[in-house]
Amino acid sequence: EKNLIELEINKDELSIINQDNEEISNIIKNLNYKSVDSSGNTYVLSAEYGEVTKEDENILILKNVKGTIILIDKSEVKISADFAKYNSENYNTFFYQNVLGLYEESKIHSDNLDLLFQYNTAKMYNNVQFLDQDLKLNADEISLDLLYGDMYIKMFDEKNKIQIIKK
């Protein structure tokens, strides 16, 4: 597990109060997180707004989310999605709805992307479509090793084949 050596948090907090003066929601507008691990890899996350969940104050539900992973000696990974569930304790982020990943010359669309920092993995799944200048690929899951930049592509059901269309 990586030790984070830097964490910057910028946010504007807005509390919603009901007519009985009870706080019913914590909305954070213009949220920006930046973390750097002990190896110098950087993770930047921004959202139009986020809401702290009532069940766990370390979990935020983010809207209109953008993320950037800047790996030492590797290509940058950019991510955008309509929503994400962010854990402020371990920085794991679960992007969902209209997920787009940009890596080198490739675009990857999916319904979900999980960034699991304790495993140094980014996993895209559900309706995955990989596009680059030479091919189009449909699969169930694409995983990216964040340490080495290796990509793994698979189907959930071994009876189904990965579809590759050369342009």
Side-chain angles (χ1 to χ4, degrees):
E1 185 172 327
K2 296 181 177 184
N3 294 327
L4 293 175
I5 56 172
E6 175 187 343
L7 174 63
E8 294 176 16
I9 302 172
N10 298 317
K11 57 188 179 181
D12 299 322
E13 290 196 37
L14 171 69
S15 294
I16 299 175
I17 309 294
N18 68 11
Q19 60 189 14
D20 297 325
N21 279 337
E22 296 172 325
E23 186 174 315
I24 58 172
S25 178
N26 283 325
I27 304 290
I28 302 167
K29 293 173 53 178
N30 302 318
L31 180 130
N32 291 291
Y33 284 99
K34 178 183 177 186
S35 61
V36 180
D37 68 20
S38 57
S39 301
N41 299 310
T42 303
Y43 177 47
V44 178
L45 184 68
S46 63
E48 184 179 312
Y49 69 86
E51 183 172 1
V52 178
T53 61
K54 294 187 185 326
E55 299 81 28
D56 185 343
E57 65 185 26
N58 296 309
I59 304 294
L60 294 125
I61 304 301
L62 308 176
K63 181 167 182 177
N64 295 331
V65 191
K66 295 192 184 316
T68 304
I69 303 168
I70 304 164
L71 304 171
I72 298 297
D73 299 326
K74 301 286 181 234
S75 296
E76 186 175 280
V77 178
K78 291 184 179 260
I79 303 160
S80 64
D82 291 349
F83 299 96
K85 181 177 173 183
Y86 175 73
N87 184 319
S88 63
E89 280 187 321
N90 60 22
Y91 313 105
N92 289 341
T93 311
F94 303 89
F95 297 86
Y96 55 98
Q97 289 187 6
N98 297 313
V99 179
L100 173 63
L102 302 173
Y103 178 69
E104 295 181 348
E105 299 293 321
S106 305
K107 288 183 183 180
I108 310 172
H109 298 269
S110 71
D111 293 340
N112 303 86
L113 181 144
D114 298 348
L115 285 180
L116 305 172
F117 287 101
Q118 73 266 36
Y119 304 116
N120 296 306
T121 302
K123 185 186 302 184
M124 294 187 86
Y125 55 98
N126 294 331
N127 300 311
V128 176
Q129 191 173 66
F130 176 94
L131 304 164
D132 75 7
Q133 56 197 3
D134 297 325
L135 62 91
K136 175 181 174 183
L137 180 144
N138 294 311
D140 288 336
E141 181 180 296
I142 295 179
S143 296
L144 176 67
D145 182 311
L146 297 176
L147 290 180
Y148 302 104
D150 296 332
M151 195 175 292
Y152 306 94
I153 303 168
K154 73 176 195 175
M155 298 298 286
F156 295 138
D157 185 345
E158 292 179 10
K159 295 176 189 169
N160 294 330
K161 304 286 186 213
I162 297 169
Q163 297 177 343
I164 301 173
I165 301 166
K166 187 163 174 74
K167 293 182 179 179

PDB file of all heavy atoms in Angstrom, residues 42-46 65-71 75-81 95 98-109 113 115 122 124 144 146:
ATOM      1  N   THR A  42       0.722  11.144  -8.945  1.00  0.00           N
ATOM      2  CA  THR A  42      -0.258  12.143  -8.525  1.00  0.00           C
ATOM      3  C   THR A  42      -1.654  11.726  -8.967  1.00  0.00           C
ATOM      4  O   THR A  42      -1.833  11.216 -10.077  1.00  0.00           O
ATOM      5  CB  THR A  42       0.092  13.509  -9.149  1.00  0.00           C
ATOM      6  OG1 THR A  42       1.411  13.866  -8.767  1.00  0.00           O
ATOM      7  CG2 THR A  42      -0.875  14.589  -8.681  1.00  0.00           C
ATOM      8  N   TYR A  43      -2.633  11.968  -8.099  1.00  0.00           N
ATOM      9  CA  TYR A  43      -4.041  11.734  -8.418  1.00  0.00           C
ATOM     10  C   TYR A  43      -4.784  13.024  -8.134  1.00  0.00           C
ATOM     11  O   TYR A  43      -4.723  13.558  -7.025  1.00  0.00           O
ATOM     12  CB  TYR A  43      -4.589  10.602  -7.561  1.00  0.00           C
ATOM     13  CG  TYR A  43      -6.061  10.307  -7.742  1.00  0.00           C
ATOM     14  CD1 TYR A  43      -6.624  10.195  -9.009  1.00  0.00           C
ATOM     15  CD2 TYR A  43      -6.891  10.129  -6.651  1.00  0.00           C
ATOM     16  CE1 TYR A  43      -7.962   9.916  -9.178  1.00  0.00           C
ATOM     17  CE2 TYR A  43      -8.239   9.840  -6.796  1.00  0.00           C
ATOM     18  CZ  TYR A  43      -8.772   9.726  -8.065  1.00  0.00           C
ATOM     19  OH  TYR A  43     -10.099   9.454  -8.228  1.00  0.00           O
ATOM     20  N   VAL A  44      -5.454  13.551  -9.157  1.00  0.00           N
ATOM     21  CA  VAL A  44      -6.224  14.781  -9.024  1.00  0.00           C
ATOM     22  C   VAL A  44      -7.675  14.442  -9.326  1.00  0.00           C
ATOM     23  O   VAL A  44      -7.969  13.760 -10.307  1.00  0.00           O
ATOM     24  CB  VAL A  44      -5.716  15.866 -10.004  1.00  0.00           C
ATOM     25  CG1 VAL A  44      -6.550  17.125  -9.884  1.00  0.00           C
ATOM     26  CG2 VAL A  44      -4.246  16.152  -9.782  1.00  0.00           C
ATOM     27  N   LEU A  45      -8.580  14.908  -8.484  1.00  0.00           N
ATOM     28  CA  LEU A  45     -10.003  14.635  -8.643  1.00  0.00           C
ATOM     29  C   LEU A  45     -10.760  15.936  -8.457  1.00  0.00           C
ATOM     30  O   LEU A  45     -10.500  16.671  -7.505  1.00  0.00           O
ATOM     31  CB  LEU A  45     -10.453  13.606  -7.597  1.00  0.00           C
ATOM     32  CG  LEU A  45     -11.886  13.116  -7.663  1.00  0.00           C
ATOM     33  CD1 LEU A  45     -12.097  12.286  -8.926  1.00  0.00           C
ATOM     34  CD2 LEU A  45     -12.207  12.270  -6.442  1.00  0.00           C
ATOM     35  N   SER A  46     -11.678  16.235  -9.368  1.00  0.00           N
ATOM     36  CA  SER A  46     -12.504  17.428  -9.214  1.00  0.00           C
ATOM     37  C   SER A  46     -13.941  17.074  -9.560  1.00  0.00           C
ATOM     38  O   SER A  46     -14.200  16.158 -10.333  1.00  0.00           O
ATOM     39  CB  SER A  46     -11.998  18.564 -10.114  1.00  0.00           C
ATOM     40  OG  SER A  46     -12.105  18.210 -11.470  1.00  0.00           O
ATOM     41  N   VAL A  65     -17.749  14.558 -12.608  1.00  0.00           N
ATOM     42  CA  VAL A  65     -16.442  14.256 -12.031  1.00  0.00           C
ATOM     43  C   VAL A  65     -15.372  14.161 -13.112  1.00  0.00           C
ATOM     44  O   VAL A  65     -15.609  13.608 -14.184  1.00  0.00           O
ATOM     45  CB  VAL A  65     -16.497  12.907 -11.282  1.00  0.00           C
ATOM     46  CG1 VAL A  65     -15.245  12.694 -10.461  1.00  0.00           C
ATOM     47  CG2 VAL A  65     -17.719  12.818 -10.411  1.00  0.00           C
ATOM     48  N   LYS A  66     -14.187  14.670 -12.795  1.00  0.00           N
ATOM     49  CA  LYS A  66     -13.018  14.521 -13.654  1.00  0.00           C
ATOM     50  C   LYS A  66     -11.848  14.082 -12.775  1.00  0.00           C
ATOM     51  O   LYS A  66     -11.682  14.577 -11.667  1.00  0.00           O
ATOM     52  CB  LYS A  66     -12.673  15.832 -14.341  1.00  0.00           C
ATOM     53  CG  LYS A  66     -13.751  16.301 -15.314  1.00  0.00           C
ATOM     54  CD  LYS A  66     -13.267  17.422 -16.180  1.00  0.00           C
ATOM     55  CE  LYS A  66     -14.319  17.981 -17.085  1.00  0.00           C
ATOM     56  NZ  LYS A  66     -15.160  17.093 -17.789  1.00  0.00           N
ATOM     57  N   GLY A  67     -11.090  13.139 -13.282  1.00  0.00           N
ATOM     58  CA  GLY A  67      -9.922  12.661 -12.559  1.00  0.00           C
ATOM     59  C   GLY A  67      -8.731  12.566 -13.483  1.00  0.00           C
ATOM     60  O   GLY A  67      -8.881  12.332 -14.686  1.00  0.00           O
ATOM     61  N   THR A  68      -7.557  12.736 -12.922  1.00  0.00           N
ATOM     62  CA  THR A  68      -6.312  12.584 -13.668  1.00  0.00           C
ATOM     63  C   THR A  68      -5.340  11.799 -12.806  1.00  0.00           C
ATOM     64  O   THR A  68      -5.154  12.117 -11.627  1.00  0.00           O
ATOM     65  CB  THR A  68      -5.689  13.946 -14.025  1.00  0.00           C
ATOM     66  OG1 THR A  68      -6.647  14.718 -14.752  1.00  0.00           O
ATOM     67  CG2 THR A  68      -4.447  13.773 -14.887  1.00  0.00           C
ATOM     68  N   ILE A  69      -4.746  10.782 -13.401  1.00  0.00           N
ATOM     69  CA  ILE A  69      -3.707  10.001 -12.742  1.00  0.00           C
ATOM     70  C   ILE A  69      -2.418  10.283 -13.498  1.00  0.00           C
ATOM     71  O   ILE A  69      -2.328  10.023 -14.702  1.00  0.00           O
ATOM     72  CB  ILE A  69      -4.017   8.495 -12.770  1.00  0.00           C
ATOM     73  CG1 ILE A  69      -5.375   8.216 -12.128  1.00  0.00           C
ATOM     74  CG2 ILE A  69      -2.915   7.710 -12.075  1.00  0.00           C
ATOM     75  CD1 ILE A  69      -5.888   6.821 -12.367  1.00  0.00           C
ATOM     76  N   ILE A  70      -1.443  10.834 -12.800  1.00  0.00           N
ATOM     77  CA  ILE A  70      -0.157  11.175 -13.405  1.00  0.00           C
ATOM     78  C   ILE A  70       0.874  10.234 -12.797  1.00  0.00           C
ATOM     79  O   ILE A  70       1.256  10.378 -11.637  1.00  0.00           O
ATOM     80  CB  ILE A  70       0.206  12.650 -13.155  1.00  0.00           C
ATOM     81  CG1 ILE A  70      -0.917  13.553 -13.679  1.00  0.00           C
ATOM     82  CG2 ILE A  70       1.538  12.992 -13.809  1.00  0.00           C
ATOM     83  CD1 ILE A  70      -0.873  14.972 -13.157  1.00  0.00           C
ATOM     84  N   LEU A  71       1.295   9.245 -13.603  1.00  0.00           N
ATOM     85  CA  LEU A  71       2.230   8.229 -13.147  1.00  0.00           C
ATOM     86  C   LEU A  71       3.650   8.607 -13.550  1.00  0.00           C
ATOM     87  O   LEU A  71       3.872   9.088 -14.659  1.00  0.00           O
ATOM     88  CB  LEU A  71       1.871   6.870 -13.755  1.00  0.00           C
ATOM     89  CG  LEU A  71       0.452   6.382 -13.487  1.00  0.00           C
ATOM     90  CD1 LEU A  71       0.155   5.145 -14.333  1.00  0.00           C
ATOM     91  CD2 LEU A  71       0.268   6.073 -12.010  1.00  0.00           C
ATOM     92  N   SER A  75       2.296   7.079 -19.082  1.00  0.00           N
ATOM     93  CA  SER A  75       1.344   8.004 -19.684  1.00  0.00           C
ATOM     94  C   SER A  75       0.269   8.410 -18.673  1.00  0.00           C
ATOM     95  O   SER A  75      -0.109   7.623 -17.809  1.00  0.00           O
ATOM     96  CB  SER A  75       0.678   7.351 -20.900  1.00  0.00           C
ATOM     97  OG  SER A  75       1.635   7.088 -21.878  1.00  0.00           O
ATOM     98  N   GLU A  76      -0.211   9.618 -18.827  1.00  0.00           N
ATOM     99  CA  GLU A  76      -1.276  10.161 -17.977  1.00  0.00           C
ATOM    100  C   GLU A  76      -2.604   9.491 -18.324  1.00  0.00           C
ATOM    101  O   GLU A  76      -2.869   9.184 -19.480  1.00  0.00           O
ATOM    102  CB  GLU A  76      -1.340  11.659 -18.237  1.00  0.00           C
ATOM    103  CG  GLU A  76      -2.268  12.430 -17.377  1.00  0.00           C
ATOM    104  CD  GLU A  76      -2.143  13.920 -17.646  1.00  0.00           C
ATOM    105  OE1 GLU A  76      -1.197  14.534 -17.126  1.00  0.00           O
ATOM    106  OE2 GLU A  76      -2.981  14.459 -18.385  1.00  0.00           O
ATOM    107  N   VAL A  77      -3.427   9.256 -17.315  1.00  0.00           N
ATOM    108  CA  VAL A  77      -4.763   8.695 -17.495  1.00  0.00           C
ATOM    109  C   VAL A  77      -5.761   9.778 -17.101  1.00  0.00           C
ATOM    110  O   VAL A  77      -5.680  10.322 -15.996  1.00  0.00           O
ATOM    111  CB  VAL A  77      -4.975   7.434 -16.618  1.00  0.00           C
ATOM    112  CG1 VAL A  77      -6.385   6.901 -16.788  1.00  0.00           C
ATOM    113  CG2 VAL A  77      -3.935   6.377 -16.931  1.00  0.00           C
ATOM    114  N   LYS A  78      -6.692  10.092 -18.018  1.00  0.00           N
ATOM    115  CA  LYS A  78      -7.751  11.071 -17.715  1.00  0.00           C
ATOM    116  C   LYS A  78      -9.078  10.332 -17.666  1.00  0.00           C
ATOM    117  O   LYS A  78      -9.332   9.442 -18.482  1.00  0.00           O
ATOM    118  CB  LYS A  78      -7.794  12.166 -18.768  1.00  0.00           C
ATOM    119  CG  LYS A  78      -6.588  13.076 -18.729  1.00  0.00           C
ATOM    120  CD  LYS A  78      -6.739  14.209 -19.728  1.00  0.00           C
ATOM    121  CE  LYS A  78      -5.540  15.111 -19.644  1.00  0.00           C
ATOM    122  NZ  LYS A  78      -5.794  16.290 -18.865  1.00  0.00           N
ATOM    123  N   ILE A  79      -9.923  10.729 -16.725  1.00  0.00           N
ATOM    124  CA  ILE A  79     -11.208  10.062 -16.512  1.00  0.00           C
ATOM    125  C   ILE A  79     -12.280  11.127 -16.341  1.00  0.00           C
ATOM    126  O   ILE A  79     -12.049  12.149 -15.693  1.00  0.00           O
ATOM    127  CB  ILE A  79     -11.164   9.207 -15.230  1.00  0.00           C
ATOM    128  CG1 ILE A  79     -10.023   8.193 -15.301  1.00  0.00           C
ATOM    129  CG2 ILE A  79     -12.503   8.515 -14.984  1.00  0.00           C
ATOM    130  CD1 ILE A  79      -9.599   7.659 -13.951  1.00  0.00           C
ATOM    131  N   SER A  80     -13.459  10.870 -16.918  1.00  0.00           N
ATOM    132  CA  SER A  80     -14.614  11.716 -16.641  1.00  0.00           C
ATOM    133  C   SER A  80     -15.836  10.822 -16.496  1.00  0.00           C
ATOM    134  O   SER A  80     -15.884   9.732 -17.063  1.00  0.00           O
ATOM    135  CB  SER A  80     -14.824  12.758 -17.742  1.00  0.00           C
ATOM    136  OG  SER A  80     -15.136  12.131 -18.962  1.00  0.00           O
ATOM    137  N   ALA A  81     -16.812  11.285 -15.713  1.00  0.00           N
ATOM    138  CA  ALA A  81     -18.046  10.523 -15.500  1.00  0.00           C
ATOM    139  C   ALA A  81     -19.113  11.453 -14.950  1.00  0.00           C
ATOM    140  O   ALA A  81     -18.815  12.525 -14.415  1.00  0.00           O
ATOM    141  CB  ALA A  81     -17.817   9.366 -14.534  1.00  0.00           C
ATOM    142  N   PHE A  95     -16.290   5.414 -10.313  1.00  0.00           N
ATOM    143  CA  PHE A  95     -16.964   6.258 -11.295  1.00  0.00           C
ATOM    144  C   PHE A  95     -18.105   5.469 -11.926  1.00  0.00           C
ATOM    145  O   PHE A  95     -17.974   4.272 -12.173  1.00  0.00           O
ATOM    146  CB  PHE A  95     -15.990   6.666 -12.408  1.00  0.00           C
ATOM    147  CG  PHE A  95     -14.835   7.509 -11.947  1.00  0.00           C
ATOM    148  CD1 PHE A  95     -13.678   6.928 -11.453  1.00  0.00           C
ATOM    149  CD2 PHE A  95     -14.896   8.892 -12.037  1.00  0.00           C
ATOM    150  CE1 PHE A  95     -12.605   7.705 -11.044  1.00  0.00           C
ATOM    151  CE2 PHE A  95     -13.830   9.679 -11.624  1.00  0.00           C
ATOM    152  CZ  PHE A  95     -12.685   9.078 -11.127  1.00  0.00           C
ATOM    153  N   ASN A  98     -21.795   7.078 -17.928  1.00  0.00           N
ATOM    154  CA  ASN A  98     -21.070   7.812 -18.973  1.00  0.00           C
ATOM    155  C   ASN A  98     -19.590   7.997 -18.653  1.00  0.00           C
ATOM    156  O   ASN A  98     -19.054   9.102 -18.704  1.00  0.00           O
ATOM    157  CB  ASN A  98     -21.723   9.169 -19.239  1.00  0.00           C
ATOM    158  CG  ASN A  98     -23.128   9.015 -19.756  1.00  0.00           C
ATOM    159  OD1 ASN A  98     -23.376   8.228 -20.662  1.00  0.00           O
ATOM    160  ND2 ASN A  98     -24.050   9.748 -19.167  1.00  0.00           N
ATOM    161  N   VAL A  99     -18.933   6.909 -18.335  1.00  0.00           N
ATOM    162  CA  VAL A  99     -17.514   6.946 -17.979  1.00  0.00           C
ATOM    163  C   VAL A  99     -16.671   6.970 -19.249  1.00  0.00           C
ATOM    164  O   VAL A  99     -16.907   6.207 -20.183  1.00  0.00           O
ATOM    165  CB  VAL A  99     -17.129   5.728 -17.117  1.00  0.00           C
ATOM    166  CG1 VAL A  99     -15.646   5.763 -16.770  1.00  0.00           C
ATOM    167  CG2 VAL A  99     -17.973   5.678 -15.850  1.00  0.00           C
ATOM    168  N   LEU A 100     -15.691   7.865 -19.273  1.00  0.00           N
ATOM    169  CA  LEU A 100     -14.748   7.958 -20.380  1.00  0.00           C
ATOM    170  C   LEU A 100     -13.343   7.976 -19.797  1.00  0.00           C
ATOM    171  O   LEU A 100     -13.039   8.771 -18.906  1.00  0.00           O
ATOM    172  CB  LEU A 100     -14.983   9.235 -21.195  1.00  0.00           C
ATOM    173  CG  LEU A 100     -13.955   9.540 -22.283  1.00  0.00           C
ATOM    174  CD1 LEU A 100     -13.947   8.453 -23.361  1.00  0.00           C
ATOM    175  CD2 LEU A 100     -14.222  10.902 -22.895  1.00  0.00           C
ATOM    176  N   GLY A 101     -12.505   7.088 -20.310  1.00  0.00           N
ATOM    177  CA  GLY A 101     -11.102   7.065 -19.921  1.00  0.00           C
ATOM    178  C   GLY A 101     -10.245   7.375 -21.134  1.00  0.00           C
ATOM    179  O   GLY A 101     -10.499   6.864 -22.226  1.00  0.00           O
ATOM    180  N   LEU A 102      -9.255   8.220 -20.969  1.00  0.00           N
ATOM    181  CA  LEU A 102      -8.308   8.551 -22.032  1.00  0.00           C
ATOM    182  C   LEU A 102      -6.930   8.111 -21.575  1.00  0.00           C
ATOM    183  O   LEU A 102      -6.459   8.542 -20.515  1.00  0.00           O
ATOM    184  CB  LEU A 102      -8.313  10.054 -22.331  1.00  0.00           C
ATOM    185  CG  LEU A 102      -9.648  10.656 -22.749  1.00  0.00           C
ATOM    186  CD1 LEU A 102      -9.546  12.174 -22.850  1.00  0.00           C
ATOM    187  CD2 LEU A 102     -10.118  10.063 -24.063  1.00  0.00           C
ATOM    188  N   TYR A 103      -6.303   7.248 -22.378  1.00  0.00           N
ATOM    189  CA  TYR A 103      -4.985   6.715 -22.043  1.00  0.00           C
ATOM    190  C   TYR A 103      -4.169   6.619 -23.325  1.00  0.00           C
ATOM    191  O   TYR A 103      -4.552   5.905 -24.245  1.00  0.00           O
ATOM    192  CB  TYR A 103      -5.129   5.344 -21.380  1.00  0.00           C
ATOM    193  CG  TYR A 103      -3.822   4.683 -21.028  1.00  0.00           C
ATOM    194  CD1 TYR A 103      -3.018   5.194 -20.018  1.00  0.00           C
ATOM    195  CD2 TYR A 103      -3.392   3.555 -21.707  1.00  0.00           C
ATOM    196  CE1 TYR A 103      -1.824   4.590 -19.685  1.00  0.00           C
ATOM    197  CE2 TYR A 103      -2.193   2.939 -21.375  1.00  0.00           C
ATOM    198  CZ  TYR A 103      -1.416   3.469 -20.374  1.00  0.00           C
ATOM    199  OH  TYR A 103      -0.220   2.866 -20.042  1.00  0.00           O
ATOM    200  N   GLU A 104      -3.089   7.366 -23.379  1.00  0.00           N
ATOM    201  CA  GLU A 104      -2.262   7.469 -24.574  1.00  0.00           C
ATOM    202  C   GLU A 104      -3.149   7.870 -25.756  1.00  0.00           C
ATOM    203  O   GLU A 104      -3.838   8.862 -25.683  1.00  0.00           O
ATOM    204  CB  GLU A 104      -1.473   6.174 -24.799  1.00  0.00           C
ATOM    205  CG  GLU A 104      -0.467   5.929 -23.698  1.00  0.00           C
ATOM    206  CD  GLU A 104       0.364   4.678 -23.883  1.00  0.00           C
ATOM    207  OE1 GLU A 104       0.038   3.844 -24.763  1.00  0.00           O
ATOM    208  OE2 GLU A 104       1.355   4.543 -23.144  1.00  0.00           O
ATOM    209  N   GLU A 105      -3.191   7.082 -26.823  1.00  0.00           N
ATOM    210  CA  GLU A 105      -4.001   7.404 -27.993  1.00  0.00           C
ATOM    211  C   GLU A 105      -5.368   6.723 -27.953  1.00  0.00           C
ATOM    212  O   GLU A 105      -6.074   6.690 -28.950  1.00  0.00           O
ATOM    213  CB  GLU A 105      -3.263   6.975 -29.278  1.00  0.00           C
ATOM    214  CG  GLU A 105      -1.934   7.667 -29.483  1.00  0.00           C
ATOM    215  CD  GLU A 105      -2.093   9.151 -29.761  1.00  0.00           C
ATOM    216  OE1 GLU A 105      -3.033   9.531 -30.492  1.00  0.00           O
ATOM    217  OE2 GLU A 105      -1.283   9.935 -29.244  1.00  0.00           O
ATOM    218  N   SER A 106      -5.737   6.179 -26.804  1.00  0.00           N
ATOM    219  CA  SER A 106      -6.947   5.361 -26.696  1.00  0.00           C
ATOM    220  C   SER A 106      -8.041   6.057 -25.913  1.00  0.00           C
ATOM    221  O   SER A 106      -7.772   6.795 -24.967  1.00  0.00           O
ATOM    222  CB  SER A 106      -6.613   4.042 -26.002  1.00  0.00           C
ATOM    223  OG  SER A 106      -5.580   3.380 -26.669  1.00  0.00           O
ATOM    224  N   LYS A 107      -9.294   5.773 -26.332  1.00  0.00           N
ATOM    225  CA  LYS A 107     -10.482   6.202 -25.594  1.00  0.00           C
ATOM    226  C   LYS A 107     -11.195   4.938 -25.149  1.00  0.00           C
ATOM    227  O   LYS A 107     -11.352   4.006 -25.943  1.00  0.00           O
ATOM    228  CB  LYS A 107     -11.441   6.989 -26.488  1.00  0.00           C
ATOM    229  CG  LYS A 107     -10.988   8.349 -26.870  1.00  0.00           C
ATOM    230  CD  LYS A 107     -12.080   9.029 -27.692  1.00  0.00           C
ATOM    231  CE  LYS A 107     -11.628  10.393 -28.158  1.00  0.00           C
ATOM    232  NZ  LYS A 107     -12.662  11.062 -28.946  1.00  0.00           N
ATOM    233  N   ILE A 108     -11.625   4.921 -23.910  1.00  0.00           N
ATOM    234  CA  ILE A 108     -12.353   3.768 -23.396  1.00  0.00           C
ATOM    235  C   ILE A 108     -13.637   4.269 -22.757  1.00  0.00           C
ATOM    236  O   ILE A 108     -13.602   5.085 -21.834  1.00  0.00           O
ATOM    237  CB  ILE A 108     -11.524   2.971 -22.366  1.00  0.00           C
ATOM    238  CG1 ILE A 108     -10.131   2.657 -22.912  1.00  0.00           C
ATOM    239  CG2 ILE A 108     -12.260   1.692 -21.986  1.00  0.00           C
ATOM    240  CD1 ILE A 108      -9.193   2.053 -21.901  1.00  0.00           C
ATOM    241  N   HIS A 109     -14.770   3.785 -23.259  1.00  0.00           N
ATOM    242  CA  HIS A 109     -16.083   4.119 -22.711  1.00  0.00           C
ATOM    243  C   HIS A 109     -16.573   2.921 -21.911  1.00  0.00           C
ATOM    244  O   HIS A 109     -16.345   1.777 -22.295  1.00  0.00           O
ATOM    245  CB  HIS A 109     -17.093   4.392 -23.832  1.00  0.00           C
ATOM    246  CG  HIS A 109     -16.748   5.551 -24.688  1.00  0.00           C
ATOM    247  ND1 HIS A 109     -17.180   6.822 -24.415  1.00  0.00           N
ATOM    248  CD2 HIS A 109     -16.008   5.644 -25.816  1.00  0.00           C
ATOM    249  CE1 HIS A 109     -16.723   7.642 -25.339  1.00  0.00           C
ATOM    250  NE2 HIS A 109     -16.004   6.952 -26.202  1.00  0.00           N
ATOM    251  N   LEU A 113     -16.051   2.514 -13.723  1.00  0.00           N
ATOM    252  CA  LEU A 113     -14.598   2.459 -13.577  1.00  0.00           C
ATOM    253  C   LEU A 113     -14.286   2.546 -12.099  1.00  0.00           C
ATOM    254  O   LEU A 113     -14.736   3.467 -11.417  1.00  0.00           O
ATOM    255  CB  LEU A 113     -13.911   3.599 -14.325  1.00  0.00           C
ATOM    256  CG  LEU A 113     -12.384   3.576 -14.237  1.00  0.00           C
ATOM    257  CD1 LEU A 113     -11.774   4.044 -15.552  1.00  0.00           C
ATOM    258  CD2 LEU A 113     -11.861   4.426 -13.116  1.00  0.00           C
ATOM    259  N   LEU A 115     -11.227   2.830  -9.347  1.00  0.00           N
ATOM    260  CA  LEU A 115      -9.823   3.079  -9.046  1.00  0.00           C
ATOM    261  C   LEU A 115      -9.570   2.531  -7.646  1.00  0.00           C
ATOM    262  O   LEU A 115     -10.113   3.045  -6.666  1.00  0.00           O
ATOM    263  CB  LEU A 115      -9.511   4.573  -9.059  1.00  0.00           C
ATOM    264  CG  LEU A 115      -9.420   5.244 -10.408  1.00  0.00           C
ATOM    265  CD1 LEU A 115      -9.110   6.728 -10.224  1.00  0.00           C
ATOM    266  CD2 LEU A 115      -8.366   4.613 -11.272  1.00  0.00           C
ATOM    267  N   ALA A 122      -6.843   0.205 -12.043  1.00  0.00           N
ATOM    268  CA  ALA A 122      -8.033   0.871 -12.571  1.00  0.00           C
ATOM    269  C   ALA A 122      -8.779  -0.194 -13.366  1.00  0.00           C
ATOM    270  O   ALA A 122      -8.197  -0.844 -14.236  1.00  0.00           O
ATOM    271  CB  ALA A 122      -7.657   2.038 -13.465  1.00  0.00           C
ATOM    272  N   MET A 124     -12.240  -0.954 -15.650  1.00  0.00           N
ATOM    273  CA  MET A 124     -13.437  -0.489 -16.349  1.00  0.00           C
ATOM    274  C   MET A 124     -14.265  -1.712 -16.706  1.00  0.00           C
ATOM    275  O   MET A 124     -13.721  -2.711 -17.166  1.00  0.00           O
ATOM    276  CB  MET A 124     -13.074   0.273 -17.610  1.00  0.00           C
ATOM    277  CG  MET A 124     -12.346   1.570 -17.343  1.00  0.00           C
ATOM    278  SD  MET A 124     -12.101   2.545 -18.839  1.00  0.00           S
ATOM    279  CE  MET A 124     -13.655   3.433 -18.891  1.00  0.00           C
ATOM    280  N   LEU A 144      -6.245  -1.804 -15.838  1.00  0.00           N
ATOM    281  CA  LEU A 144      -4.970  -1.135 -16.071  1.00  0.00           C
ATOM    282  C   LEU A 144      -4.154  -1.213 -14.789  1.00  0.00           C
ATOM    283  O   LEU A 144      -4.628  -0.817 -13.720  1.00  0.00           O
ATOM    284  CB  LEU A 144      -5.194   0.332 -16.459  1.00  0.00           C
ATOM    285  CG  LEU A 144      -3.955   1.194 -16.639  1.00  0.00           C
ATOM    286  CD1 LEU A 144      -3.135   0.732 -17.845  1.00  0.00           C
ATOM    287  CD2 LEU A 144      -4.347   2.656 -16.803  1.00  0.00           C
ATOM    288  N   LEU A 146      -1.652   0.285 -12.571  1.00  0.00           N
ATOM    289  CA  LEU A 146      -1.189   1.665 -12.423  1.00  0.00           C
ATOM    290  C   LEU A 146       0.318   1.767 -12.183  1.00  0.00           C
ATOM    291  O   LEU A 146       0.899   2.832 -12.386  1.00  0.00           O
ATOM    292  CB  LEU A 146      -1.952   2.358 -11.298  1.00  0.00           C
ATOM    293  CG  LEU A 146      -3.452   2.502 -11.514  1.00  0.00           C
ATOM    294  CD1 LEU A 146      -4.120   3.112 -10.294  1.00  0.00           C
ATOM    295  CD2 LEU A 146      -3.757   3.313 -12.757  1.00  0.00           C
TER     296      LEU A 146
END
